[in-house]
């Protein structure tokens, strides 16, 4: 449940601190800590030997650049991981497959128009189906017997409920979920860096010359962590034995934990790779045939669609743009259309007079009928400023060296609002709020919502398949096989 409203494109944050602390300390099934719940007085200190036997290491993975051109970023081993060891715990949240389907506004209008037309057509097909005896009786009694032939609607979540040729779109989240082709249950993993793990076949691929291909090979497998899986707090059942309906209706969706296990010795800084399954691989190969640019362009996200002509991922811009261009410079040398600049700034951070000062200054500028005057407020560093909640759009209008002749720059920027800001953080409407002395470290390049290549028409959408691993619970297989 959202504590505050979440705007379109807003990030979802979930507090899992307590769960991860229990996991790291080997306390996931410790009745004492479960009974004490969030008791701050509980003694979490454990003997080192006990930690090694019962605890789970949560920092075996670290993010990095994959050596494979299709992968973009990946998960790297932060230390040596011997064969058979747990690489990372993978807590998962069950998600109904249907909830990841969506249509755009224009498409919904088409659907509503088509359904309205369909209902009218079905009403016209309502006929009086009378057999000979009923006809005779009706002639005597003057009564007709109507029989409805309209069938039940197939439901909003089926292709039959859409106009011919239209298909449901799939949210990007699908690409990160585990699933089974015969199940309505998807599992979203939220462990530390586990979503950075890329695909590789579990077998060495051979080419036509009968030589080993340079394609990477999977080095981790996946299994249930019986040590961490918890029974439902209400029914006492193992969630893996529940029907999908029971699973989705649980008051607390936590308690399902998988774990990645090393299939062989893994060296430090080696990329962690997992086999996404044959259905995923077939879907990807089919996608590449229709979008050949996907297989060779380094889009930085892995498994997207052909990029825009002027597309550059925000994190690449962050790496290459040492100095930022002013708005005037961008008229001649613009940044890619898919990115904008943002900076870490708190409007309410020790500047109680911002509102009155801004209001007086802007009113004065308007009354003089002169060009807009610029009065810059100094940027202020404070504790917690670099929290992502303080990142907001801005437009750079000036820069100057921090020291005479130096290369480090300080920037002046117009600070703007973004959706989801609290009232005290919102710059008043009509106010141009200018801040000076902002260091380069306080700026970030950000992808505009739905402009990255993963949101293009025909972008790749396929869940990670668990069909061949034998780990997907049979109780969740509620869909018929397409074969």
């Amino acid at each position: 449940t959202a504590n505050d409203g979440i705007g379109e494109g807003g990030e979802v944050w979930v507090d899992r601190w307590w769960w991860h602390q229990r996991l790291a300390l080997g306390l996931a099934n410790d009745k004492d800590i479960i009974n004490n719940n969030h008791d701050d007085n509980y003694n979490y200190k454990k003997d080192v030997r006990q930690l090694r036997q019962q605890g789970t290491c949560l920092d075996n993975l670290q993010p990095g650049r994959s050596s494979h051109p299709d992968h973009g970023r990946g998960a790297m081993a932060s230390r040596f991981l011997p064969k058979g060891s747990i690489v990372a715990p993978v807590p998962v949240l069950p998600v109904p497959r249907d909830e990841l389907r969506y249509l755009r506004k224009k498409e919904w209008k088409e659907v509503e128009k088509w359904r309205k037309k369909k209902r009218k057509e079905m009403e016209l097909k309502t006929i009086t189906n009378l057999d000979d005896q009923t006809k005779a009786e009706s002639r005597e009694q003057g009564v007709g017997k109507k029989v409805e032939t309209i069938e039940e609607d197939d439901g909003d979540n089926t292709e039959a409920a859409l106009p011919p040729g239209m298909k449901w779109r799939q949210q990007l989240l699908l690409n990160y979920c585990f699933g089974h082709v015969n199940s309505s249950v998807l599992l979203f993993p939220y462990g530390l860096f586990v979503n950075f793990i890329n695909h590789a076949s579990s077998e060495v691929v051979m080419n036509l010359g009968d030589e080993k291909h340079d394609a990477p090979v999977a080095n981790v497998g996946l299994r249930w962590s019986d040590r961490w899986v918890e029974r439902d707090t209400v029914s006492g059942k193992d969630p893996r034995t529940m029907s999908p309906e029971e699973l989705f209706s649980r008051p607390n969706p936590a308690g399902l934990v998988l774990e990645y296990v090393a299939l062989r010795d893994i060296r430090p800084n080696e990329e962690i790779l997992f086999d996404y399954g044959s259905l995923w691989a077939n879907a990807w190969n089919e996608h590449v045939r229709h979008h050949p640019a996907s297989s060779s362009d380094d889009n930085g996200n892995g498994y997207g669609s052909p990029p825009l002509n002027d597309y550059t991922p925000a994190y690449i811009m962050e790496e290459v743009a040492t100095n930022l261009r002013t708005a005037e410079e961008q008229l001649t040398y613009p940044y890619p259309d898919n990115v904008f600049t943002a900076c870490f700034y708190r409007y309410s951070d020790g500047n109680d007079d911002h509102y009155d000062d801004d209001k007086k200054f802007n009113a004065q500028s308007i009354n003089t009928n002169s060009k807009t005057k610029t009065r810059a407020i100094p940027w202020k560093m404070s504790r917690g400023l670099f929290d992502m909640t303080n990142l907001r759009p801005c437009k750079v209008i000036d820069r100057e060296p921090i020291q005479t002749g130096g290369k480090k720059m300080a920037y002046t920027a117009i600070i703007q609002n973004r959706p989801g800001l609290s009232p005290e953080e919102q710059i008043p409407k009509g106010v141009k709020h200018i801040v000076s002395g902002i260091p380069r470290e306080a700026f970030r390049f950000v992808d505009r919502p739905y402009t990255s290549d993963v949101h293009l028409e025909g972008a790749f959408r396929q869940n990670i398949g668990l069909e061949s691993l034998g780990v997907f619970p049979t109780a969740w297989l509620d869909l018929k096989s397409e074969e």
Side-chain angles (χ1 to χ4, degrees), residues 347 354-356 358-359 417 426-433:
Y347 183 68
H354 274 355
Y355 180 85
D356 292 335
D358 283 338
K359 191 174 180 181
N417 289 326
Q426 293 178 16
I427 297 168
K429 191 174 182 180
V431 168
K432 183 182 285 187
H433 188 70

Side-chain angles (χ1 to χ4, degrees), residues 147-435:
V147 179
E148 297 284 349
T149 60
I150 300 178
E151 297 179 355
E152 293 287 332
D153 193 288
D154 290 312
D156 288 345
N157 290 325
T158 63
E159 299 294 349
L162 300 179
M166 183 181 290
K167 292 185 177 181
W168 291 100
R169 295 178 182 274
Q170 300 289 344
Q171 294 186 33
L172 180 61
L173 186 68
L174 181 68
N175 286 8
Y176 296 91
C177 289
F178 299 117
H180 192 291
V181 68
N182 296 333
S183 177
S184 62
V185 178
L186 293 171
L187 300 172
F188 175 69
Y190 58 91
L192 194 64
F193 300 128
V194 294
N195 290 319
F196 282 70
I197 295 177
N198 289 309
H199 164 75
S201 173
S202 56
E203 299 178 357
V204 176
V205 179
M206 306 296 285
N207 64 17
L208 294 177
D210 206 30
E211 296 177 358
K212 286 186 179 180
H213 195 268
D214 60 357
V217 178
N219 52 16
V220 295
L222 191 69
R223 70 188 182 194
W224 284 106
S225 177
D226 290 328
R227 181 180 173 189
W228 306 119
V229 171
E230 298 175 7
R231 291 184 174 274
D232 182 64
T233 54
V234 177
S235 66
K237 288 184 178 180
D238 185 324
R240 294 170 296 181
T241 66
M242 293 179 169
S243 68
E245 187 178 356
E246 291 175 311
L247 186 70
F248 297 139
S249 63
R250 290 187 306 154
N252 181 6
L256 287 169
V257 186
L258 293 153
E259 56 192 18
Y260 280 117
V261 181
L263 298 177
R264 58 171 174 77
D265 290 349
I266 299 174
R267 302 183 306 276
N269 298 316
E270 182 180 347
E271 183 172 5
I272 305 299
L273 299 167
F274 174 66
D275 191 337
Y276 286 9
S278 59
L279 290 178
W280 185 95
N282 292 337
W284 172 245
N285 291 334
E286 184 67 20
H287 176 76
V288 170
R289 276 194 288 272
H290 288 89
H291 304 281
S294 310
S295 61
S296 57
D297 287 359
D298 184 6
N299 301 330
N301 56 70
Y303 321 125
S305 287
L308 298 167
N309 292 333
D310 196 25
Y311 173 76
T312 304
Y315 76 92
I316 294 293
M317 290 298 301
E318 193 65 40
E319 292 176 2
V320 300
T322 307
N323 288 325
L324 301 177
R325 300 170 192 164
T326 65
E328 185 176 355
E329 289 171 337
Q330 289 182 56
L331 295 175
T332 307
Y333 302 103
Y335 287 130
D337 293 336
N338 65 289
V339 298
F340 65 90
T341 50
C343 66
F344 289 98
Y345 181 73
R346 272 196 293 241
Y347 183 68
S348 62
D349 200 0
N351 298 304
D352 298 331
D353 298 327
H354 274 355
Y355 180 85
D356 292 335
D357 290 347
D358 283 338
K359 191 174 180 181
K360 289 176 185 176
F361 180 77
N362 279 269
Q364 192 176 28
S365 299
I366 294 170
N367 292 335
T368 58
N369 290 322
S370 61
K371 291 183 178 179
T372 303
K373 296 178 181 179
T374 58
R375 179 186 60 100
I377 295 169
W379 183 82
K380 200 174 186 179
M381 179 61 193
S382 60
R383 186 176 182 179
L385 179 63
F386 281 82
D387 189 288
M388 292 301 292
T389 56
N390 298 318
L391 188 65
R392 52 201 299 163
C394 66
K395 184 186 292 185
V396 176
I397 57 175
D398 193 20
R399 69 172 178 271
E400 57 184 1
I402 294 177
Q403 296 178 345
T404 304
K407 292 183 178 180
K408 267 199 159 188
M409 297 287 176
Y411 297 87
T412 300
I414 300 172
I415 308 297
Q416 300 168 328
N417 289 326
R418 63 165 176 79
L421 286 173
S422 59
E424 63 269 18
E425 286 299 330
Q426 293 178 16
I427 297 168
K429 191 174 182 180
V431 168
K432 183 182 285 187
H433 188 70
I434 301 171
V435 177

